[in-house]
Amino acid sequence: MADNTKKQVPLRLSKQLYDAIAAWAEDDFRSVNGQIEYLLTECVRQRKKNGRYLPDKFDVAPELDLE
């Protein structure tokens, strides 16, 4: 039987990123926590699908257009 317990993880986000995720979550009728969990789940699925563990430039911060 699968273990359905969830782990709590402290997470620090910039205000801009949080606000963008919160707006997206509202559009998708999810909580911010639910949206973050959904996004992480989709990222893991994509990694499993294409077999890539790291992006091409893993040491460069992504440019986020949050305005």
Side-chain angles (χ1 to χ4, degrees):
M1 182 173 227
D3 183 11
N4 292 328
T5 61
K6 293 190 176 191
K7 298 285 186 180
Q8 293 184 4
V9 181
L11 179 64
R12 291 180 180 85
L13 303 172
S14 70
K15 181 175 179 354
Q16 284 184 315
L17 181 56
Y18 180 88
D19 290 345
I21 292 172
W24 192 358
E26 188 174 326
D27 289 346
D28 289 352
F29 303 105
R30 291 188 183 102
S31 66
V32 171
N33 189 72
Q35 189 72 6
I36 292 169
E37 184 175 2
Y38 168 77
L39 294 171
L40 290 172
T41 300
E42 288 302 307
C43 287
V44 170
R45 280 189 190 137
Q46 185 62 37
R47 184 196 58 82
K48 286 180 180 180
K49 184 178 178 180
N50 67 19
R52 297 187 63 196
Y53 292 94
L54 294 173
D56 292 333
K57 298 180 180 179
F58 67 92
D59 58 344
V60 178
E63 291 184 26
L64 300 175
D65 182 15
L66 300 176
E67 293 183 27

